[in-house]
Amino acid sequence: MVTGDHIETAKKVAIDCGVITKEDAEDHGVVMTGEEFTNAIGPFERVWNDDTENYDINFDNEDLFNTVRKKVKVIARTSSEDKFVLVAGTKKRGGLVAMTGDSITDAEALRKADVGLCMGSGCEVAKDNSDLIILDNDFYSIFRSIKWGRAMFDNVRKFIQF
């Protein structure tokens, strides 16, 4: 869970949603701020990739990033740079990333993610950089859209095999 909210708010929401336990909330490596995350992963640089026409990320110590990424579950008080680094670094290590966002600061990470989700009340920049726009501002709609998307994909696959 990556959020711009205060760390105590993020902990409470994460506990209530089942992302972390109360014991995890006290572990420094599981819950951290964006600044702590940046310090923990060490130096990195953005690199323009001519093939994909997008920015990639290079870490001085990729193993350090991977160790932090595997342990952290909640990052609070994040900046747009923190979100981009997490998304780009996770994709670079072979992970799949789905991200929700609704503001201009989320646009770059929404574009970089495998699936970018924006709520209907989000700004136009975020909507333009998203793959999927949830019009009714209900997070349950994300689950429904994935379920129906998979059903359509399976039906198309069965038709092609037929």
Side-chain angles (χ1 to χ4, degrees), residues 9-123:
T9 305
K11 283 181 186 180
K12 175 71 171 133
V13 170
I15 291 169
D16 290 349
C17 293
V19 174
I20 60 173
T21 63
K22 288 184 180 183
E23 294 77 28
D24 287 342
E26 302 308 317
D27 189 352
H28 177 68
V30 175
V31 178
M32 60 178 62
T33 64
E35 185 178 339
E36 293 169 341
F37 173 73
T38 303
N39 293 334
I41 63 172
F44 61 89
E45 66 176 340
R46 287 173 163 238
V47 178
W48 181 256
N49 186 336
D50 288 327
D51 296 334
T52 62
E53 295 183 357
N54 205 346
Y55 281 101
D56 287 331
I57 198 95
N58 286 336
F59 298 99
D60 285 358
N61 187 346
E62 288 197 30
D63 293 331
L64 183 61
F65 171 78
N66 199 39
T67 302
V68 172
R69 182 183 63 88
K70 285 182 178 181
K71 186 172 183 184
V72 70
K73 293 184 182 178
V74 177
I75 306 175
R77 305 301 296 169
T78 57
S79 66
S80 58
E81 184 74 9
D82 299 331
K83 294 172 188 176
F84 177 80
V85 168
L86 183 63
V87 170
T90 301
K91 283 188 68 170
K92 185 176 183 178
R93 301 293 280 186
L96 295 173
V97 179
M99 179 180 170
T100 62
D102 62 355
S103 68
I104 292 172
T105 60
D106 297 329
E108 195 172 28
L110 284 167
R111 188 176 341 110
K112 187 70 174 173
D114 293 306
V115 178
L117 302 159
C118 182
M119 296 306 207
S121 63
C123 74

